[in-house]
Amino acid sequence: MSALPQARPQHVVCDGNEAAAWGVVLSRPDMVAVYPITPQTSLVEALAQFAADGVLDAEMVAAEGEHSVLSVLQGACLAGARTYTATSGPGLAFMFEPYIRTPGLRLPMVMSLVTRDTLSPQCVWGGHQDAMSVREIGWIQMYCETVQEILDTVIMAFKIAEHRDVMLPVNVCHDGNYLSFGVCRVDLPESSGVDAFLGQPDTNWHVALDPDRPMGVDPLTGGGGGPGPALFARYRKGQCRGMQNALGVIEDVHRGFRARFGRGHAPLIEEYRLDDAEYAIVTIGSMTGAAKDAVDEARRLGQRAGLIKVKTYRPFPLQAMAQAIAKVKAVGVVDRSVSFGWNCGPLHQDVLGTLATLPQRVAAVSFIGGLAGADLTPAHFARALQTTAQALAGAPPLAPVWLNEDDR
Amino acid sequence: MAAYETIAFDAAKCTGCGDCMSACAQVKTGSFEHASSRIQILPSANDGFELALCRQCGDPGCVSVCPAAALEKDGTTGVVAWDGTKCVNCLLCTVGCTYAGIAFDARAGHVTKCDLCGGDPACVTACSEGALRHVRSARIYSHYGELEDLFVPGLSGCQGCNTELLIRHVLRAVGPETVVAAPPGCIPGMGTVGYNGKTGTKVPVFHPLLTNTASMLAGVRRTYKRKGRDVTALALAGDGGTADVGFQSLSGAAERGEEILYVCVDNEGYMNTGMQRSGCTPYGAWTSTTPVGERSHGKAQEAKNLPLLMMMHRCAYVATASTAFMEDLYEKLAAAIEAAKHGFAYLHIYSPCTSGWRFPSQANIEVARKAVETGFVALWEYTPASGLRFTRSVDDLRPVDEYLEAVGKYRHLDAAQVAHIQAHLKKDLGLLKELSARGAQADPRALAT
């Protein structure tokens, strides 16, 4: 392995895509396979340049499409490699076949999902529709709020994925446009510190394609008789257990990261001005900054408003979410995607599910905004807060409120 | 492991000169009398010549009728040997042999037969026309027999399927430092990857998706190369997963020069799931999705020429092969294994399907041979350095009807369809010949201009 350049700056000014690439460099994967797609492209370009400069010592595969990207990495991971890739919207759709298989193989890969709205209407801009469409597949999903959080979460994601109680692939989601191209000052952790934090790759102790340990990988399993049904149920249950174990591991890893690097992020749910709040909005991803500004403004006006931000979406942090929601009497959930057939956002559904575990009644309103790159401003969140406050008194609207529908 | 060698005779090349008989008689008796020769060239009914000679049969009729145990097939050399100390001169063996390979020699006073001159037959050396050929393919079988069989006994292929033969021999040649990808199809269907936690293979084996065999192998190979280990990445894939839904990953891996040994076992369709058409299904063929009815008469389109497409990728090695020509196949397999150490090697093996093509299960090799002899399948190999080279002549081919008649999936063809197939073959072979004529200068893409 080549060392990082000695004269490496402690800070860089870069956008979210380059921050993710720095996170990859520091995590020292053995293999990176990529295919460019908007708005992830500059991430791929940054990795290619890092590899060309010798900053990133990984086997680079410029595959002919996302389907192969993930397939190459599956083979590599089964041979013991630490692996990384990144994609967006249609790229995710194209890699769906190997994507849906990865969690069942228990392969601890890390993939940045630079979130993008889905076609059609034809669009190239940010939104969560791609990520939300695969929320039940078995990948861990963590959504970043800032450029710094992207870098830090990419590093943490390898430790979470490779934890022996987890062994599942992780999507580090960062919003297309707002985070992918938003430029900030970013602190780089010491590479030796990251090496010590992550340890050596540990990806195929459980299943391997290795002539030294010959085995049949993924033979047909299941069917209506013999050992199949019980075996299949055992595999599925194990996968569910890994997903639930991840909640604790994600918290531990965030705690460990803060202890080592002196900087941290809420691992599952972040509560913002919630303790004495009457009502709150629930956010996810980069929208949270503007939403916090709107909460501050409401507070200045004497409103008892608060905010709940979701960092880890899958596995869903039910307990943390229930504890947070139990503090208020009404919530407004802001989604950057749609759950077709439920007439609300997908995060809203999860909140409804959480409410069913609480003894008290909490009013809930679904807001949908930020689709296809639409901006969610403090003014949009002021409206969301106001509507949620109104739900305290009367019945909440049954249909979702579309935050950008009156934008001019 | 018993060796099996024989002398093959090409009647078309024989001029009837008799040099072989003179040589045999000279070596065995010291005279030049043709009557003392153990090989006999005789005029045939159609103005040519035919051969009377011991074939060193695997299950010799002469041995089974001999009441004195004077004839025995040698377990080491494979030669059917005559023991004069036991022979009672009953001559039953001369009746038991269907090839007139053992006969009474009046001068010697007993039967004589060919003993292959200890491995260097004088008749073959004497034949200046190339009509006689010492076939040692069985020697290769013996060599393969000494290598470890890396599949368990008793794979559950259909009766008469030659794919089991293929996968066992390929794996013997490739050896244990291998990772095998067997995408969905007949090959894993036989139990190679396995069921419910059990596997039929002694080396690492996995089910890729139908779509991503080449990509997954690329990841495996590159990872081991990075670790400094020489592990062969071997695909044993059907034509459907190769030519259709898996073609993108195949093409990408070939273009990137991934170091993979990709063996496509072409049975011209999705045979494992009940004989649906693939891009490799030939024109006119019945399949369950190109049925024969009032308005359709089998597949309406030509097959994709997959090996030619792979040649267009300028792979390190591309070859076609057939289970009816095992010697040829072994040579190509050896070349492909070597090429896969530095580039993409693609081996396309035609594999008739007893179940899906509708012919008797014992006829598999015969059908495979007819495909080659009629030019329906051409045997060739390609390297970037030497271009395309036929490994079996495509001049003097037999009419394609002989092949089509042997295969039930063509039973419905009318004369116009047969003529269409014959014309198309001619065109296809013409293209291959043109490429072959270009030799080392062969840049396949230059053909387009």
Side-chain angles (χ1 to χ4, degrees), chain B residues 328-348:
Chain B
D328 178 70
L329 194 157
Y330 286 134
E331 280 168 19
K332 288 168 175 173
L333 186 56
I337 290 170
E338 205 44 45
K341 293 186 189 306
H342 59 85
F344 198 94
Y346 179 81
L347 205 50
H348 193 98

Side-chain angles (χ1 to χ4, degrees), chain A residues 68 79 97 101 209-210 217 220, chain B residues 196 205 207 211 215 224 227:
Chain A
S68 280
E97 195 192 17
R101 190 186 197 193
L209 287 172
D210 184 349
V217 172
L220 281 180
Chain B
N196 289 327
V205 62
H207 265 141
T211 43
S215 306
Y224 282 116
K227 292 179 176 182

Side-chain angles (χ1 to χ4, degrees), chain A residues 1 29-31 57-65 67-68 71-72 74-81 94 97-98 101 208-222 225 227-228 231, chain B residues 176-180 188 193-199 201-212 214-220 222-224 226-227 229 231 248-253 255-256 258:
Chain A
M1 278 191 223
D30 301 293
M31 186 179 285
D57 176 29
E59 196 65 22
M60 292 290 292
V61 184
E64 82 291 340
H67 192 286
S68 280
S71 305
V72 167
Q74 284 183 349
C77 198
L78 285 164
F94 183 42
E97 195 192 17
R101 190 186 197 193
L209 287 172
D210 184 349
D212 289 348
R213 286 187 284 154
M215 63 175 85
V217 172
D218 218 5
L220 281 180
T221 303
L231 203 54
Chain B
E177 284 299 301
T178 301
V179 171
V180 181
V193 187
Y195 297 95
N196 289 327
K198 297 202 166 91
T199 180
T201 310
K202 298 179 191 170
V203 292
V205 62
F206 68 104
H207 265 141
L209 299 165
L210 191 54
T211 43
N212 69 358
S215 306
M216 279 189 77
L217 282 176
V220 170
R222 284 213 202 192
T223 299
Y224 282 116
R226 182 178 169 87
K227 292 179 176 182
R229 287 176 60 184
V231 173
Q248 173 173 328
S249 66
L250 176 73
S251 172
E255 181 265 335
R256 291 192 303 274
E258 304 285 0

Side-chain angles (χ1 to χ4, degrees), chain A residues 297-320:
Chain A
E297 177 63 13
R299 286 275 177 174
R300 200 182 60 78
L301 297 172
Q303 299 280 314
R304 286 164 63 193
L307 181 145
I308 302 166
K309 182 194 84 170
V310 175
K311 160 87 181 261
T312 299
Y313 182 59
R314 288 293 182 270
F316 190 72
L318 180 63
Q319 211 182 343

Side-chain angles (χ1 to χ4, degrees), chain A residues 320-335:
Chain A
M321 183 59 108
Q323 277 168 11
I325 293 179
K327 295 177 179 174
V328 297
K329 296 190 181 68
V331 286
V333 186
V334 186
D335 273 284

